[in-house]
Amino acid sequence: MALDRGRRAFIAALVAATGAGGWWFWRNQFGGHTPEVRLSPWTELVISTLRQRLDYLELEEEGMVHFARDLRKRRLHTLLRRLKAGDAETAEWLVQQFLMSSDFFWNDADESRPVGYMGYYDPYERPCANPFARPV
Amino acid sequence: MQEDFDVIIVGTGFASSFFLSAYLEKSGTNARVLVLERGRRDSHAWRLQHRSPSSIAAESTFVNKNRAKQWFYTPGLGGGSNCWWAVTPRFMPADFAMRSQYGVGLDWPLSYDDLEEFYCRAEEVMAVSGSDDGTPYPRSRPYPQPPHRFSDPDRLLKAAYPELYFHQPTARARLATAKRPACCASGVCHLCPIDAKFTVLNEMDYLYADPRVEIVLEATVQEVETRGATATGVRYMKDGKEVSARGELVVLGANALFNPHILLRSGLDHVLLGKQLHEQVSVRATIDLDGVDNFQGSTSITGHGYMLYDGAHRAQRAGCLIESWNVPSLRLERGKWRQRLVLKFMFEDLPDVKNYVRVHRDNPALPETVYRGHSDYAQRGIDALPQLLPELLNALPVEQFVLDERPGTTENHILGTTVMGADPQQSIVDRHLVHHQVRNLLVLGSGAFPTGSPANPTLTISALALWAAHHLLS
């Protein structure tokens, strides 16, 4: 019985230690986020640029994360370098590209509504998605 | 074995295809036409997939050591129609008479009135959209399609300049045709995602399926073969082999780089052959508006301004055609996103013999461009713009504007090099684009332009091809 109690205590201690170690690893590696939503430095840079330039809009974070990933898929390495270097023109391009990819202009540029991401603005992937053009 | 043809046509762009359409219309069922095209048949689907106008890099087909000046064209079936923006102004009547009206450049050996009927026909084929509510040039027929929608800044400019500001005529469909949907202003017209602009492939492909026509792709013409003053055929390269074809008539419809190159290699020397290479020179202004939104238009470029085009100033400085752009270019200021207008100013250039095409010394199979710069005449036009622009923009509520006076590296037009004229000493072809020395040889295209005009050349290229065919066959 004493042995059983000792075994149970040992197993409990082992489980607790494993859990604590796992928590410690997860916390240090992912900063409290699950791996699926971990923000890369690139994504952080994109989001911070958008937030800084559009601080009066409610930008949906999930949409910005998706936008950053869509940008990354396009291997815009030069863009990243310029953005990191604080190039203003690149930041402006980024903001324009995000707004054109969002529902902001489809909602008549209504600043009171949250801004969601609709999909990367690329006429070849989404033809006829110009939010301003009015057919005759 | 050599084959005999009634006509051999080199190239499949606007000039060749419009000539071929007129030729087939007037020819019997036994006509035999050989068409030689250096490029491939790159379908619209292929071009979309590769985001490229051609599977052959144009830069590999000629030598250009002046990297500051680009000459852009598209190798492949359909030629320049695969990459153009489908802008289709006519030339103004004065463009054909620069010497007699303004004492600069040369007069064309034909007039606007001579071409008017053929302009109409070319517009019909392309289903050009435009407004009949006043046009800058006389027209005998209405435009085939109604105009695209103006943007709000266009409306203000039209109100201020009713006789000088117009809807841009364009072959970007305003209404769907049997082959094309209506344009939806995607703003990437060099390769339209929905194939709404006119191309040879989407509207004239039937020509190349005609049983009278034999087309050979990836065939690079080396020279026109002649005996005395008669063309007997052409020699071309296909799959690394040299091939000859005999023809009663030879029609060069490659562009203004390759037509002179072929003629130079054919021994048809002339002091002006290959000379006077030029195109328009353009600059842009970005204008921030006060309280006026932009980009409501229904296509990528919506307005054409003629305020600086024609008039006495052309005796001193270049005329200019203004384009109003409707492709979204946001103003990144809260609440003012759309209060921005981009205007493009296209100045004519005067041809100069210092700019030319020659046979490349090390590789004679390639043409080489030598370009030393645009004329003082064009530069004087650009230099006058900072003074003229503020008054011009009085029609708009302008907060501020920025004029970028650095010209673009290319307008995607290639002009001059096989100039037309009445005097064989001063020109390569006559008014019907027939070679002065070899009378069964036609040299089509914008190479024949004695002067360039501020306006885009494609409609005039097409009309001239119809004019040449009409003269030949009637």
Side-chain angles (χ1 to χ4, degrees):
Chain A
M1 203 64 181
L3 189 62
D4 283 346
R5 270 202 308 275
R7 182 184 288 168
R8 279 200 295 274
F10 173 76
I11 290 170
L14 186 65
V15 168
T18 304
W23 176 83
W24 181 88
F25 178 78
W26 172 75
R27 183 174 183 274
N28 284 286
Q29 283 295 107
F30 305 122
H33 297 283
T34 58
E36 287 71 31
V37 296
R38 175 194 174 198
L39 301 183
S40 68
W42 160 244
T43 303
E44 296 276 16
L45 181 61
V46 168
I47 290 176
S48 66
T49 304
L50 293 176
R51 282 199 170 128
Q52 183 190 352
R53 300 257 172 170
L54 301 169
D55 58 358
Y56 49 90
L57 295 179
E58 185 187 333
L59 307 175
E60 291 177 354
E61 175 153 331
E62 193 180 335
M64 289 190 289
V65 170
H66 198 161
F67 173 64
R69 286 183 181 164
D70 282 349
L71 273 174
R72 188 165 199 152
K73 278 184 209 160
R74 286 162 177 79
R75 301 175 187 279
L76 301 173
H77 302 303
T78 308
L79 178 92
L80 175 59
R81 277 199 301 276
R82 286 181 182 161
L83 201 58
K84 271 183 180 168
D87 180 64
E89 275 187 26
T90 305
E92 287 184 1
W93 177 88
L94 185 86
V95 171
Q96 164 154 331
Q97 185 62 26
F98 175 75
L99 288 176
M100 294 297 286
S101 304
S102 76
D103 58 4
F104 180 60
F105 294 119
W106 292 101
N107 291 329
D108 294 327
D110 183 349
E111 295 182 6
S112 69
R113 297 176 65 164
V115 178
Y117 181 64
M118 295 176 65
Y120 193 80
Y121 185 75
D122 180 337
Y124 294 108
E125 294 177 17
R126 293 194 297 133
C128 303
N130 178 343
F132 309 126
R134 296 285 176 267
V136 183
Chain B
M1 190 183 79
Q2 265 193 342
E3 286 191 279
D4 292 326
F5 295 90
D6 296 317
V7 56
I8 299 172
I9 300 177
V10 179
T12 59
F14 288 100
S16 300
S17 296
F18 275 81
F19 180 89
L20 179 59
S21 69
Y23 185 87
L24 293 178
E25 201 174 291
K26 297 263 176 105
S27 300
T29 53
N30 295 326
R32 296 199 65 212
V33 180
L34 175 66
V35 176
L36 300 169
E37 166 57 53
R38 74 155 52 231
R40 305 181 182 119
R41 175 189 282 272
D42 297 320
S43 69
H44 183 252
W46 184 95
R47 285 181 278 129
L48 280 186
Q49 184 188 349
H50 294 86
R51 304 254 181 129
S52 169
S54 174
S55 58
I56 296 174
E59 312 83 68
S60 68
T61 62
F62 68 101
V63 177
N64 176 16
K65 291 178 182 163
N66 181 355
R67 307 312 297 174
K69 179 61 189 171
Q70 297 174 4
W71 302 101
F72 189 77
Y73 87 105
T74 302
L77 184 61
S81 74
N82 293 327
C83 65
W84 76 321
W85 276 62
V87 182
T88 54
R90 297 179 177 193
F91 283 7
M92 294 284 277
D95 292 337
F96 296 86
M98 288 296 287
R99 169 60 61 178
S100 52
Q101 287 217 16
Y102 301 119
V104 297
L106 295 169
D107 285 352
W108 289 42
L110 70 160
S111 69
Y112 177 87
D113 289 342
D114 289 326
L115 266 195
E116 207 281 333
E117 165 66 18
F118 303 96
Y119 271 137
C120 289
R121 292 190 201 178
E123 287 165 346
E124 288 289 338
V125 173
M126 296 181 189
V128 168
S129 148
S131 173
D132 295 309
D133 181 19
T135 54
Y137 27 70
R139 300 179 54 81
S140 62
R141 290 186 223 165
Y143 274 112
Q145 292 208 352
H148 273 281
R149 180 189 164 107
F150 264 160
S151 66
D152 284 359
D154 286 326
R155 292 179 209 284
L156 294 172
L157 287 164
K158 179 67 176 173
Y161 302 102
E163 306 299 322
L164 293 168
Y165 197 82
F166 306 95
H167 292 85
Q168 182 186 73
T170 175
R172 300 182 297 272
R174 152 74 171 77
L175 302 172
T177 72
K179 306 280 182 67
R180 292 181 279 148
C183 169
C184 62
S186 291
V188 285
C189 307
H190 60 286
L191 176 50
C192 177
I194 60 170
D195 211 14
K197 69 172 178 179
F198 169 89
T199 69
V200 167
L201 282 175
N202 63 25
E203 293 279 8
M204 298 182 91
D205 202 22
Y206 69 93
L207 296 171
Y208 299 103
D210 190 294
R212 293 170 290 179
V213 176
E214 180 178 328
I215 181 164
V216 182
L217 300 173
E218 298 182 73
T220 304
V221 172
Q222 304 292 296
E223 65 174 84
V224 177
E225 295 181 315
T226 55
R227 189 167 51 245
T230 303
T232 56
V234 301
R235 190 167 54 78
Y236 63 96
M237 299 298 292
K238 170 69 180 168
D239 298 332
K241 294 178 185 165
E242 197 172 277
V243 183
S244 284
R246 276 199 297 263
E248 295 293 317
L249 174 72
V250 175
V251 179
L252 297 185
N255 66 27
L257 301 181
F258 297 99
N259 278 349
H261 180 244
I262 292 167
L263 293 175
L264 285 164
R265 297 195 74 198
S266 306
L268 296 170
D269 294 340
H270 187 287
V271 68
L272 284 175
L273 180 57
K275 302 292 194 331
Q276 302 182 341
L277 174 67
H278 68 290
E279 66 170 339
Q280 293 84 0
V281 187
S282 80
V283 297
R284 286 173 190 255
T286 302
I287 300 138
D288 287 345
L289 303 170
D290 184 4
V292 174
D293 278 349
N294 193 12
F295 316 128
Q296 308 87 342
S298 59
T299 191
S300 54
I301 310 167
T302 43
H304 257 173
Y306 284 75
M307 296 81 90
L308 304 176
Y309 194 121
D310 202 21
H313 65 271
R314 287 177 95 179
Q316 305 299 326
R317 55 179 166 80
C320 166
L321 177 60
I322 305 169
E323 287 184 339
S324 161
W325 280 63
N326 187 56
V327 179
S329 170
L330 297 184
R331 178 177 172 185
L332 295 180
E333 291 179 51
R334 186 177 185 179
K336 296 183 175 181
W337 309 104
R338 299 170 61 182
Q339 295 175 23
R340 174 164 280 178
L341 171 66
V342 173
L343 295 178
K344 179 179 176 186
F345 300 84
M346 287 174 53
F347 292 88
E348 63 192 323
D349 195 11
L350 283 182
D352 192 319
V353 293
K354 72 184 180 187
N355 302 317
Y356 55 91
V357 174
R358 64 184 174 192
V359 177
H360 189 242
R361 190 184 306 169
D362 299 331
N363 184 355
L366 298 179
E368 178 180 7
T369 56
V370 176
Y371 187 79
R372 300 201 164 95
H374 58 259
S375 64
D376 292 342
Y377 180 76
Q379 189 57 47
R380 285 196 293 274
I382 296 170
D383 292 344
L385 200 51
Q387 276 196 310
L388 298 170
L389 196 50
E391 187 183 338
L392 193 76
L393 296 178
N394 276 341
L396 300 167
V398 175
E399 280 188 18
Q400 59 180 350
F401 70 86
V402 175
L403 174 62
D404 185 348
E405 294 179 67
R406 295 168 300 175
T409 56
T410 180
E411 293 304 308
N412 306 324
H413 308 147
I414 310 172
L415 315 174
T417 71
T418 55
V419 66
M420 72 164 94
D423 181 356
Q425 302 300 313
Q426 299 295 322
S427 55
I428 309 301
V429 295
D430 67 15
R431 69 196 297 259
H432 297 115
L433 306 181
V434 178
H435 193 275
H436 279 303
Q437 276 80 51
V438 182
R439 301 300 291 169
N440 64 336
L441 170 63
L442 270 68
V443 188
L444 307 178
S446 53
F449 292 6
T451 51
S453 164
N456 310 60
T458 301
L459 190 74
T460 302
I461 292 171
S462 306
L464 270 177
L466 295 174
W467 150 269
H470 175 79
H471 170 261
L472 187 79
L473 301 169
S474 51

